[in-house]
Amino acid sequence: MRYTTSLAISFLALAGCMPLSLYYKEGVSVQTARDTETSCKIKAARDVPVRTVTRTIPGRFVPSRQICDANGVCQRRGGFYLPPEFITTDANEGLRKEASDLCMRQQGYEFIRLPACKQTVAHTVPSATTSRLPKLTPQACVVRNQGGTWQIVTP
């Protein structure tokens, strides 16, 4: 329990330092951007359906071997068979992501990554949540709030 709690705290602290990736269009509300992204993902799922591909890694036989200890006493260990592995993937996953990205670009959005604000900047801005995407400056950064919300800061 103690390990799990410290791991969760470490993860949350690290998440505050992570960049924010999002689709950006100046002046649009965050909720509208999320709704548009969801619509584009649904459209991409319709246009590029799942194409399941299964790869087989063949099984193999590991032959018996002789194992000896320090006194020279040897034993023969029997061989065994490793069964085949079956790996199933969606061959269209990348194309579906590209179709969703194309839809967002056609709607006027751009995919961006904003760096986390330095602690000096994060402590000087009043705590808030971004509800409308602001005009970005080269110094724009993001402050992550508790509960998964974030605030874009444009110093």
Side-chain angles (χ1 to χ4, degrees):
M1 177 68 181
R2 188 177 245 174
Y3 174 75
T4 305
T5 303
S6 63
L7 185 64
I9 291 170
S10 298
F11 178 73
L12 289 173
L14 183 61
C17 301
M18 302 283 292
L20 175 70
S21 300
L22 75 150
Y23 284 100
Y24 170 81
K25 184 177 180 180
E26 184 182 333
V28 172
S29 75
V30 172
Q31 188 59 53
T32 299
R34 286 181 181 152
D35 293 347
T36 304
E37 184 176 6
T38 299
S39 295
C40 284
K41 285 180 179 179
I42 291 169
K43 181 181 181 315
R46 276 194 306 258
D47 294 348
V48 186
V50 173
R51 185 168 63 96
T52 303
V53 175
T54 303
R55 290 183 321 152
T56 304
I57 299 173
R60 64 184 179 101
F61 181 76
V62 178
S64 63
R65 60 180 192 232
Q66 186 173 359
I67 299 174
C68 300
D69 64 16
N71 297 328
V73 177
C74 298
Q75 295 180 354
R76 181 158 290 288
R77 297 280 167 110
F80 56 93
Y81 179 75
L82 291 173
E85 290 182 54
F86 301 96
I87 301 170
T88 304
T89 58
D90 177 7
N92 282 345
E93 186 175 1
L95 182 58
R96 193 168 31 262
K97 171 72 176 107
E98 287 179 31
S100 178
D101 186 55
L102 174 63
C103 174
M104 289 299 287
R105 284 185 281 124
Q106 288 172 338
Q107 299 288 329
Y109 289 85
E110 171 186 8
F111 188 78
I112 63 167
R113 285 187 177 83
L114 291 173
C117 293
K118 294 183 175 139
Q119 288 299 325
T120 54
V121 174
H123 290 303
T124 59
V125 296
S127 182
T129 299
T130 297
S131 59
R132 190 161 296 279
L133 298 174
K135 181 176 175 89
L136 296 179
T137 64
Q139 297 83 22
C141 58
V142 67
V143 175
R144 291 185 181 264
N145 303 321
Q146 291 181 340
T149 62
W150 38 265
Q151 176 184 3
I152 296 176
V153 179
T154 53

